[in-house]
């Protein structure tokens, strides 16, 4: 949780696409902003010099030339640690 490896994947020579399998947008897999581009977790910058260089709120994967495609039909076939008959997280 909270770790992002996707920037290394995107930077690797020859990578044209990649697939992430796991829970997204809520912090359980990867980093909410750096991995998934969730704007609710866009970092705050206290240092004006740093903030000046980060004016765009494009997700890091967009800046690197990738796009996100949710595979909702396949998501229903994925098992999660939260799956249960009573779980509201199960889709």
């Amino acid at each position: 949780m909270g770790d992002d490896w996707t920037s290394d994947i995107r930077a690797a020579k020859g990578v044209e696409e990649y697939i992430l399998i796991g829970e997204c947008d809520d912090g359980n897999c990867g980093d909410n902003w750096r991995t998934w581009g969730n704007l609710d977790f866009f970092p705050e910058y206290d240092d004006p010099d740093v903030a000046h260089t980060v004016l765009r709120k494009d997700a890091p994967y967009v800046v690197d030339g990738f796009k996100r495609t949710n595979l909702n039909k396949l998501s229903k076939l994925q098992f999660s640690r939260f799956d249960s008959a009573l779980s509201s997280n199960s889709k």
Side-chain angles (χ1 to χ4, degrees), residues 3-21:
D3 292 327
D4 176 63
W5 302 334
T6 61
S7 60
D8 293 331
I9 294 168
R10 292 189 302 271
K13 187 175 184 175
V15 172
E16 295 179 8
E17 62 184 334
Y18 59 97
I19 297 173
L20 298 177
I21 299 172

Side-chain angles (χ1 to χ4, degrees), residues 42-59:
F42 184 78
E44 296 289 328
Y45 295 98
D46 295 330
D47 182 346
D49 292 329
V50 174
H52 176 70
T53 64
V54 187
L55 297 176
R56 297 172 49 181
K57 288 191 176 183
D58 294 330

Side-chain angles (χ1 to χ4, degrees), residues 1-84:
M1 280 180 23
D3 292 327
D4 176 63
W5 302 334
T6 61
S7 60
D8 293 331
I9 294 168
R10 292 189 302 271
K13 187 175 184 175
V15 172
E16 295 179 8
E17 62 184 334
Y18 59 97
I19 297 173
L20 298 177
I21 299 172
E23 303 146 352
C24 61
D25 293 326
D26 61 4
N28 289 314
C29 291
D31 178 84
N32 281 312
W33 170 247
R34 292 186 310 249
T35 305
W36 303 105
N38 184 340
L39 277 173
D40 290 338
F41 293 89
F42 184 78
E44 296 289 328
Y45 295 98
D46 295 330
D47 182 346
D49 292 329
V50 174
H52 176 70
T53 64
V54 187
L55 297 176
R56 297 172 49 181
K57 288 191 176 183
D58 294 330
Y61 61 84
V62 171
V63 173
D64 291 343
F66 289 82
K67 69 177 185 172
R68 175 178 169 172
T69 303
N70 293 330
L71 303 174
N72 295 325
K73 290 181 181 179
L74 290 178
S75 178
K76 294 178 183 182
L77 302 174
Q78 177 181 318
F79 288 105
S80 167
R81 64 185 169 145
F82 297 114
D83 283 342
S84 74

